[in-house]
Amino acid sequence: MRARFILLTFFFVFGALLWAGNFPFDGFWGEPSFQDLKLPETLKNLEQIKKEISAPLPLRLEKQSAISSLTSKGVIHWANQQRKIDGLPPLSENAQLNAAASAKVADMFGGQYFAHVSPEGKDAAFLVEKAGYEFIAVGENLALGNFENDEILVEAWMNSPGHRANILGKSFLEIGVAVGKGKFEGEDMWLAVQEFARPLSICPQPDQNLKSGIELSEKKLEEFVAAANILKAAIESQRPKGREEFEEYNRKVEKYNSLAKEINVLADSMKTLIDAYNAQVRALNACIAQ
């Protein structure tokens, strides 16, 4: 009888404390069950478009001609004559490539340098893109010296393996040329530039809206993950005491798990978008390689 009285008293006190929210849960509290985050191995795993740049060592004339006259039209003509001899279709003159070549001539005279990359780090790709030309392959030939005429200049390029490869490049479809005479290293000298290119438009293009969607999803996912990590850290630092604290603790765990589920859904959706975009990039790169 006495034992039964003690047991009933214990349950009465236990229930009263529980009802009042004052029961010390420390001894009965266990680890929470957290929803796993199934994130991609890396958030930035988009494949890149493979652009080609061909820039052989610039050609500098050793023996200067007493009479020298160069024209951009003549340089294009004689380059296409060389392609004709080799059984290749002519290159089409492109105004944007002409503008890029003119910018290169002006920059070399202004900076007094003779190289494919300027002292500021600007190369052929930079100048072509700045002129508004989107490419998948670009080549640049440079020449410095008083060549007798356009034909002699092109012949000099043809006698150089790297420059010859650009002139006879099967992947190139368009050309831009600029020539100019001015002071270089204290002497009157001609500078000539050929810009060869294969336009990006001839190959299937990846959907930029798809890429934008991936970037937005990535930003949103990073924000959600950061919020989830903060919430989880707050939960793990708590030792709830009493009914109200324990209920609040459980609400936080539920909130975390709900956010984790949302993160996982977004991550799966983003992976689908990335796979679709990468397939388009692979198709473009396969076209570039042809």
Side-chain angles (χ1 to χ4, degrees), residues 62-290:
E62 296 298 330
K63 187 177 180 180
Q64 309 297 323
S65 174
I67 301 175
S68 179
S69 179
L70 300 177
T71 67
S72 58
K73 296 292 185 184
V75 172
I76 293 174
H77 168 77
W78 288 108
N80 278 330
Q81 285 298 109
Q82 292 294 337
R83 289 178 66 87
K84 183 178 180 180
I85 292 171
D86 213 55
L88 297 170
L91 298 169
S92 300
E93 184 177 0
N94 180 276
Q96 291 169 317
L97 294 178
N98 281 341
S102 295
K104 183 64 175 179
V105 168
D107 196 51
M108 287 192 293
F109 272 128
Q112 290 293 290
Y113 73 94
F114 183 53
H116 290 287
V117 181
S118 73
E120 294 77 27
K122 299 174 182 177
D123 60 5
F126 174 86
L127 293 174
V128 168
E129 289 176 341
K130 185 177 180 181
Y133 189 100
E134 295 185 345
F135 69 91
I136 55 179
V138 68
E140 183 178 75
N141 283 352
L142 303 180
L144 171 66
N146 293 326
F147 297 85
E148 185 177 344
N149 54 45
D150 304 324
E151 183 179 8
I152 298 298
L153 167 60
V154 173
E155 285 180 358
W157 270 327
M158 288 294 292
N159 290 329
S160 166
H163 299 93
R164 178 188 180 91
N166 275 346
I167 292 173
L168 302 181
K170 294 181 180 179
S171 66
F172 296 135
L173 300 178
E174 297 180 310
I175 187 174
V177 172
V179 298
K181 188 176 184 180
K183 288 290 184 181
F184 192 87
E185 297 177 348
E187 297 182 21
D188 290 330
M189 201 75 64
W190 283 90
L191 278 171
V193 177
Q194 287 178 311
E195 302 288 3
F196 306 90
R198 185 178 183 85
L200 185 63
S201 59
I202 69 169
C203 287
Q205 301 303 301
D207 186 351
Q208 293 305 306
N209 290 328
L210 185 59
K211 185 178 181 183
S212 296
I214 292 169
E215 291 170 346
L216 288 174
S217 294
E218 179 184 68
K219 183 177 180 181
K220 188 175 182 181
L221 187 60
E222 288 175 344
E223 292 173 353
F224 280 6
V225 170
N229 289 337
I230 292 172
L231 182 57
K232 187 176 182 181
I235 293 169
E236 292 176 334
S237 68
Q238 285 186 315
R239 300 288 294 184
K241 296 180 180 180
R243 185 183 61 186
E244 292 183 0
E245 289 186 10
F246 195 76
E247 289 176 350
E248 176 62 23
Y249 175 87
N250 283 337
R251 281 194 292 269
K252 287 182 179 179
V253 172
E254 290 176 4
K255 182 179 179 181
Y256 173 86
N257 287 334
S258 176
L259 182 57
K261 289 178 181 179
E262 191 172 356
I263 288 171
N264 290 339
V265 170
L266 181 58
D268 288 341
S269 174
M270 190 169 123
K271 184 178 183 303
T272 300
L273 295 177
I274 290 173
D275 289 344
Y277 179 80
N278 284 344
Q280 294 178 5
V281 173
R282 286 193 291 272
L284 171 58
N285 287 335
C287 175
I288 292 173
Q290 292 177 357

